Amino acid sequence: MFWKLLLAFWVAFFVISQLFWVLVTLPATDRTKIEITPLSAPPSPLNGSDAVVERQVRGSDGSMFRVRYHYKGARRILTVPVEPLVLALVFGPIFGVVMAWYLVAPIRRLRQGFERLSAGDLSVRLVPGMGRRHDEIADLARDFDVMASQLEQSIQGREQLLHDVSHELRSPLSRLQLAIALARQDRSQVDASLDRIEYEGRRLDSVVRELLSLARAESENSPGEDYFDLAALLESVLADARFEAEAAGVGIVSDIEAAGAGDSAPSLRGNTELVRWALDNVVRNALRFSTRGQRVHVKLAYDEATARYEIDIVDEGPGAPESVLPTLFEPFVRADETNAGFGLGLAVAKRAVSAQGGTIEASNRPSAGLGVHITLPAGRFAVMA
């Protein structure tokens, strides 16, 4: 924008100066009105009706001369010729109008865009109306479009989340009401109804706890200031998971120190609890889709070239439908609708990993099973032995 304004003013000055010299070129009949005399000589007398414009100039030999231009008319206080005044009065407003339109028009579009956005119109976009501009105002319009797009996605996600939450809560609540009605109608069904009420209460408690975990993961704006050993944290998560896996007949195979993520690797900087949530949810999700006799493979490695940890968690279960993979980390998305989960575990993991500046992806394995690949940036300090 600065260089455009500078170039516009320079071009306007050049054009006006050239027009001025074209307009003030004296015709042959007026050249007799020019008087050039040495400064030491007395000036010629003026007629009563003559007006004169006088300047003193220096010749190439250093002599001083008096240059006078005689013209008919009343004597003026200001001796500026009429031509530059006309040029300034005519072209000055034109140049001002063009520059004002060039600057004010996109700013007005920005203001209208903010007004529409504040009124709830999240579909407003400004870049299409900016034409071929490539200046700071166009950059501001692009930033506005990015902000509006993120707001639209966020609000739509919240609305979808509320819809999904109401759906998930409605089912157990309906079964609770049904169990209560059966208990009132048939006293012999009281024990069975109480068991159902207890079961549905635990499911409601689980979905509320997972929703709170999701909300906390989304509210984290900074990765945290903890420095911890990722290998030790992963081992702790796997130790808890093995307790449940052994009861289900599922094995957990870990490959951590052999992958080079031992004591010589740098520490991880972040929020310990969020990273634990992410790893725990992914591992438990792998266990949930594994059957007796199958194994869950967990591998941790450190990439020195990118200074990032890489974690692979692979199960031997049925995998996920290809149509579900792009949205697998969204809330209430389930790879298998018959599964008892709520579809919040991977969503919590995605938010927690993103808060640490990492990435998480899921893909089906060629043989069988679902693989989840997580990357996390390392910290600045090495883990002490």
Side-chain angles (χ1 to χ4, degrees):
M1 178 64 71
F2 170 78
W3 296 109
K4 286 184 178 180
L5 293 177
L6 182 63
L7 180 62
F9 278 109
W10 184 85
V11 171
F13 175 78
F14 177 78
V15 171
I16 291 176
S17 63
Q18 294 304 310
L19 290 175
F20 169 73
W21 286 113
V22 170
L23 293 177
V24 300
T25 300
L26 295 175
T29 55
D30 288 346
R31 292 176 184 175
T32 58
K33 299 179 181 180
I34 297 178
E35 175 189 355
I36 302 177
T37 58
L39 188 60
S40 59
S44 59
L46 300 176
N47 296 329
S49 59
D50 282 352
V52 65
V53 176
E54 180 179 320
R55 295 291 185 270
Q56 296 180 6
V57 298
R58 184 184 301 274
S60 58
D61 58 354
S63 303
M64 298 298 295
F65 293 89
R66 181 185 295 109
V67 180
R68 309 178 82 188
Y69 175 68
H70 298 265
Y71 63 96
K72 298 294 184 181
R75 188 179 301 275
R76 297 176 301 171
I77 299 177
L78 297 177
T79 59
V80 179
V82 177
E83 291 82 359
L85 292 178
V86 173
L87 287 175
L89 292 176
V90 173
F91 290 98
I94 295 176
F95 177 75
V97 169
V98 172
M99 290 302 299
W101 173 83
Y102 183 78
L103 294 174
V104 173
I107 294 177
R108 184 179 295 114
R109 292 193 187 95
L110 284 171
R111 185 182 65 183
Q112 293 172 352
F114 278 109
E115 290 176 352
R116 291 175 58 185
L117 188 66
S118 63
D121 184 4
L122 301 178
S123 64
V124 57
R125 299 294 184 270
L126 299 179
V127 170
M130 290 294 168
R132 298 183 178 181
R133 296 181 70 107
H134 298 284
D135 51 18
E136 286 81 356
I137 296 180
D139 294 339
L140 183 60
R142 282 188 287 270
D143 293 340
F144 176 90
D145 286 359
V146 172
M147 176 191 68
S149 177
Q150 292 177 346
L151 282 175
E152 185 177 23
Q153 293 177 2
S154 177
I155 292 179
Q156 288 178 352
R158 296 289 181 182
E159 292 177 350
Q160 183 64 35
L161 180 61
L162 288 175
H163 176 270
D164 294 337
V165 168
S166 63
H167 174 74
E168 291 294 333
L169 294 179
R170 188 183 300 117
S171 297
L173 286 175
S174 298
R175 289 190 290 268
L176 280 174
Q177 294 174 351
L178 179 61
I180 294 173
L182 289 175
R184 287 176 175 174
Q185 293 176 1
D186 187 357
R187 295 296 181 180
S188 63
Q189 299 293 327
V190 171
D191 292 338
S193 297
L194 289 177
D195 292 339
R196 169 58 65 175
I197 292 173
E198 182 182 8
Y199 173 76
E200 298 299 340
R202 287 198 301 268
R203 285 181 59 85
L204 286 173
D205 180 68
S206 298
V207 70
V208 170
R209 282 190 287 106
E210 291 192 21
L211 284 172
L212 290 176
S213 300
L214 178 64
R216 181 175 176 182
E218 288 184 336
S219 65
E220 289 290 338
N221 296 321
S222 60
E225 297 296 335
D226 300 334
Y227 286 88
F228 54 92
D229 185 355
L230 181 59
L233 180 64
L234 181 56
E235 285 285 11
S236 175
V237 171
L238 295 180
D240 295 338
R242 284 191 178 96
F243 181 76
E244 299 180 11
E246 290 176 357
V250 179
I252 296 180
V253 180
S254 62
D255 183 6
I256 297 179
E257 296 200 354
D263 294 338
S264 61
S267 61
L268 185 70
R269 175 178 178 268
N271 187 310
T272 310
E273 194 64 28
L274 282 183
V275 176
R276 176 183 287 275
W277 281 352
L279 298 175
D280 185 69
N281 278 286
V282 176
V283 171
R284 290 179 183 276
N285 184 78
L287 292 177
R288 186 178 299 115
F289 287 91
S290 299
T291 58
R292 181 173 296 274
Q294 293 181 338
R295 294 184 298 179
V296 175
H297 302 266
V298 181
K299 179 180 179 180
L300 172 65
Y302 176 68
D303 188 351
E304 295 183 358
T306 60
R308 300 177 76 89
Y309 281 101
E310 296 185 358
I311 306 170
D312 289 289
I313 301 173
V314 183
D315 61 53
E316 298 176 353
E322 293 294 333
S323 59
V324 177
L325 285 178
T327 58
L328 191 60
F329 295 100
E330 296 300 322
F332 298 105
V333 174
R334 282 174 274 195
D336 184 3
E337 292 296 332
T338 62
N339 191 273
F342 297 101
L344 290 173
L346 292 183
V348 173
K350 173 65 179 295
R351 270 62 171 187
V353 170
S354 298
Q356 304 301 303
T359 61
I360 182 170
E361 299 174 346
S363 61
N364 287 319
R365 296 305 179 185
S367 55
L370 180 72
V372 177
H373 181 71
I374 302 173
T375 66
L376 293 169
R380 296 187 295 270
F381 302 116
V383 178
M384 300 302 293

